[in-house]
Every structure is written in structure tokens, then in C-alpha cells.
Amino acid sequence: MSFFKWWKQHTTTWLIILALIQLIQVPHMIWNADMLLEEGLVSRINPILDFLLYGIDLIEIPSMILAITTLASHLKERGNNEVISKR
């Protein structure tokens, strides 16, 4: 079984993970806006909270990998379908 076949079978799982990662970004965006506007409503209250909300930004890396791999899987499948239809 090739990697892309395995990936295609688990696409729904990866899309759910991708959606959750994007949902976690919402508090980070609010915190980031508060930092930029220097309001102090959410940011700079607790250093541990600031560290966690800053660290959420690093979760985007697996999200990018998931999106790129899913796109590659779909492009590979599309390429295979075009080759089969030309025969």
C-alpha cells in the first residue's frame, strides 16, 4: 500500500485535526491583537498564559504539513485519473 493511498483513506481524520488546529488559533489571534494594541486585557496578565498562547503559534507547522500532504495526495490522484482516462 502506497503512502498516498493510506493518506487518502485517512483524509477525514486529517481534516478534523486540521480544523481543530485552526480553532485553537482563535485565542492566539485575540491574544496577539491585544499584544499589538497594548491593551493588556488578555496579554501580560500571567506569564504562563502568555507562554502558552505564544506557543500555540507553533501548532501551525503540523497544520501546514497536513495541508501540503493532502494537496499532494489529491494532485497525485488527479494525475493518475488523467493517465487512466487517456488510455
Side-chain angles (χ1 to χ4, degrees):
M1 177 191 264
S2 75
F3 172 76
F4 287 113
K5 279 187 178 181
W6 177 85
W7 187 266
K8 186 72 174 165
Q9 290 175 348
H10 295 85
T11 300
T12 304
T13 305
W14 303 127
L15 290 176
I16 290 169
I17 292 170
L18 190 61
L20 290 174
I21 289 172
Q22 296 306 316
L23 186 64
I24 291 172
Q25 291 295 320
V26 173
H28 170 71
M29 290 187 312
I30 294 169
W31 173 82
N32 196 23
D34 189 43
M35 287 289 282
L36 290 173
L37 297 174
E38 297 180 357
E39 292 292 323
L41 299 173
V42 181
S43 64
R44 299 185 179 121
I45 295 174
N46 183 340
I48 296 172
L49 181 64
D50 285 345
F51 177 76
L52 291 173
L53 288 172
Y54 177 76
I56 287 174
D57 207 22
L58 299 176
I59 292 177
E60 290 178 357
I61 295 169
S63 176
M64 290 178 214
I65 294 169
L66 286 170
I68 290 169
T69 308
T70 303
L71 177 64
S73 173
H74 285 291
L75 291 175
K76 183 169 176 29
E77 181 181 319
R78 177 189 257 176
N80 288 342
N81 288 341
E82 288 178 6
V83 169
I84 291 171
S85 65
K86 289 182 181 180
R87 289 183 183 179

